[in-house]
Amino acid sequence: MAAETFTYTPKRLIAGSDPDVVVKTGTLVTGQNLAQFTLLESDTAGKWKVHAGVNKVAGILLYATDATSADQPAQAYIAGDFFADQIVFPSAINTNLLKQKLVEGSMIALTFLDTGEV
């Protein structure tokens, strides 16, 4: 019997420590099933939802969370320097320039691995 080989490639999200990495606990609003590292925004009640590409960024979801049937507790990075290629951005935000503009005004900094794109 041949031995199976498994490889593990960790997701590299945190790119640096300036600004300091900060995590906050909050609530995901009902009706969504979000992947790890999804970009979030706040609704009018202060609960988190998937970012639509327009409002201020509230954070980056730490863990995949299923809130399809009820609000769920969650944690998000609200400050830090992160590799942009690991973050789940809204589909309309598809260039580095748009990604950078989306996080302006937040405590989230992005590091791009594909520096040739504008």
Side-chain angles (χ1 to χ4, degrees), residues 61-100:
L61 186 64
L62 262 72
Y63 305 105
T65 306
D66 185 356
T68 52
S69 58
D71 288 359
Q72 293 294 318
Q75 291 182 310
Y77 294 109
I78 61 168
D81 184 6
F82 305 97
F83 286 111
D85 66 326
Q86 295 298 317
I87 300 170
V88 180
F89 284 91
S91 60
I93 308 301
N94 54 15
T95 67
N96 290 349
L97 181 60
L98 289 173
K99 291 173 183 178
Q100 192 64 47

Side-chain angles (χ1 to χ4, degrees), residues 10-118:
K11 293 182 179 180
R12 293 181 11 179
L13 177 68
I14 299 173
S17 60
D18 186 25
D20 292 336
V21 175
V22 178
V23 175
K24 180 179 179 179
T25 299
T27 302
L28 285 178
V29 70
T30 303
Q32 49 190 353
N33 185 5
L34 301 181
Q36 183 179 32
F37 306 147
T38 296
L39 202 61
L40 303 171
E41 67 182 21
S42 294
D43 68 8
T44 55
K47 294 179 183 179
W48 292 329
K49 61 183 181 176
V50 65
H51 201 286
V54 179
N55 297 323
K56 186 176 177 183
V57 170
I60 302 167
L61 186 64
L62 262 72
Y63 305 105
T65 306
D66 185 356
T68 52
S69 58
D71 288 359
Q72 293 294 318
Q75 291 182 310
Y77 294 109
I78 61 168
D81 184 6
F82 305 97
F83 286 111
D85 66 326
Q86 295 298 317
I87 300 170
V88 180
F89 284 91
S91 60
I93 308 301
N94 54 15
T95 67
N96 290 349
L97 181 60
L98 289 173
K99 291 173 183 178
Q100 192 64 47
K101 291 240 180 250
L102 187 62
V103 300
E104 282 179 0
S106 73
M107 288 298 298
I108 293 173
L110 299 177
T111 295
F112 297 97
L113 296 178
D114 54 344
T115 56
E117 180 189 332
V118 178

